[in-house]
Amino acid sequence: MAENLILRTERLTKAFGGLLAVNNVDIAIPKGELRAIIGPNGAGKTTFLSMVMGMLKPTAGKIYFKDKDITGLPPHKVFRLGISTTFQITSIFPDLSVYENVWVAAQSRCKGRMNPLIHHRRLKEAESKVEQILKQLNLNHVADELAGSLSHGDQRVLEICIALATSPELLLLDEPTSGMSPKEAGEMAKLIKSIRKEVNIILVEHNMDVVMEVADKITVFDKGMILAEGSPKDISSNKRVQEVYLGER
Ligand SMILES: Nc1ncnc2c1ncn2[C@@H]1O[C@H](COP(=O)(O)OP(=O)(O)OP(=O)(O)O)[C@@H](O)[C@H]1O
Ligand SMILES: [Mg+2]
């Protein structure tokens, strides 16, 4: 298949009992494209991401990461292949410092970390990586603070730092601006635009200002199915999308 795709699904389906949370979804995302997935509450967006990251096993269908069939692989294997994620719910170590939170992630993918001979060099690499990420995402001034003491907005940014520290090729973001003030959400949009140069991003998001600003292409989910797909301009003027989703926003 086309080797320029970062992710592709084929008739991907997840049933919870009689409910088809994701229903026959075909998606193809080229490398380098920032894809946003939007849609009403319960449309199946998180369920879709959960299948990609291996947290949920599909009922039917296929998932390909750069042509490799990853359908049904457990999360640690999907992670090792290069897919990282942040969760809809904040997941950091509140009693570790900001720096330590990112450091734990940075050295988690270091091969040979049990070998003392290469251990030292890899630790140095991890350290410079942590510093670079904290700087890029504007958290270096709070590097020594306890993660749990950060504002909600900064904790969400820290989650992205943690995910980036694992050097993913594909980053899945599930509502990174949830609970944020409009100003924080604007900052998050800027930040997403800055990191997209280094990593492929799939963004699930309700904040339409953020989506319109950062997305190259939008897929609209409704009741587990794809209702529409197109450029931000096409989607914002799509009548059915307006009825089902944008009207209520
Ligand atoms: N573990 C589960 N068991 C049973 N039903 C579930 C489970 N997870 C999700 N669902 C149901 O599947 C449907 C899709 O849920 P999902 O969380 O994927 O929606 P979403 O698009 O992410 O919504 P939101 O925008 O509110 O986050 C919903 O009807 C939800 O209640
Ligand atoms: Mg969700």
Side-chain angles (χ1 to χ4, degrees):
M1 281 304 288
E3 59 191 31
N4 61 334
L5 297 179
I6 190 76
L7 189 83
R8 181 166 67 88
T9 68
E10 233 174 58
R11 303 179 72 82
L12 190 63
T13 299
K14 180 70 188 179
F16 295 115
L19 172 80
L20 287 166
V22 171
N23 187 1
N24 263 316
V25 166
D26 289 328
I27 253 183
I29 304 177
K31 284 179 186 164
E33 177 192 296
L34 199 155
R35 178 70 60 98
I37 299 177
I38 66 170
N41 295 118
K45 306 178 298 294
T46 297
T47 304
F48 177 83
L49 291 188
S50 301
M51 287 192 279
V52 173
M53 69 178 90
M55 302 286 285
L56 286 174
K57 280 208 193 315
T59 308
K62 291 281 182 195
I63 307 168
Y64 298 92
F65 172 55
K66 297 184 302 182
D67 276 357
K68 187 178 167 53
D69 185 351
I70 61 164
T71 316
L73 288 185
H76 69 277
K77 291 211 169 134
V78 175
F79 170 77
R80 233 182 271 149
L81 289 170
I83 303 181
S84 291
T85 184
T86 63
F87 294 92
Q88 212 169 348
I89 298 158
T90 304
S91 54
I92 56 171
F93 295 114
D95 298 329
L96 293 184
S97 74
V98 167
Y99 184 94
E100 288 162 338
N101 264 275
V102 184
W103 189 85
V104 168
Q107 56 84 54
S108 70
R109 225 200 278 265
C110 282
K111 287 195 185 77
R113 65 182 186 277
M114 299 305 172
N115 178 337
L117 290 175
I118 46 177
H119 184 66
H120 182 72
R121 180 160 46 89
R122 289 289 152 76
L123 282 186
K124 285 282 167 222
E125 282 169 15
E127 277 169 22
S128 60
K129 174 156 216 165
V130 174
E131 278 157 25
Q132 176 249 316
I133 289 171
L134 289 177
K135 199 164 165 213
Q136 186 183 10
L137 279 74
N138 300 322
L139 285 186
N140 48 346
H141 63 290
V142 290
D144 296 328
E145 317 252 320
L146 288 185
S149 72
L150 297 185
S151 69
H152 173 77
D154 279 348
Q155 289 191 16
R156 300 309 311 264
V157 175
L158 173 58
E159 282 196 297
I160 295 181
C161 291
I162 291 169
L164 283 180
T166 66
S167 304
E169 247 182 286
L170 173 61
L171 177 63
L172 310 175
L173 299 175
D174 197 354
E175 299 197 31
T177 73
S178 72
M180 284 190 169
S181 69
K183 182 164 175 287
E184 286 174 326
E187 293 292 324
M188 178 59 82
K190 269 195 221 146
L191 194 153
I192 290 170
K193 280 163 101 173
S194 109
I195 61 174
R196 66 165 291 178
K197 293 167 202 139
E198 289 138 53
V199 62
N200 291 276
I201 297 174
I202 300 176
L203 170 71
V204 167
E205 183 54 63
H206 282 297
N207 183 319
M208 288 311 294
D209 292 337
V210 172
V211 170
M212 291 300 165
E213 189 174 340
V214 307
D216 297 319
K217 193 167 176 180
I218 300 173
T219 301
V220 187
F221 274 37
D222 181 41
K223 300 188 178 76
M225 292 186 284
I226 294 180
L227 176 77
E229 202 164 82
S231 68
K233 202 158 159 263
D234 291 343
I235 293 301
S236 54
S237 59
N238 180 306
K239 284 256 152 34
R240 292 207 57 208
V241 176
Q242 283 175 356
E243 279 164 27
V244 169
Y245 183 57
L246 296 179
E248 73 183 49
R249 296 262 127 205

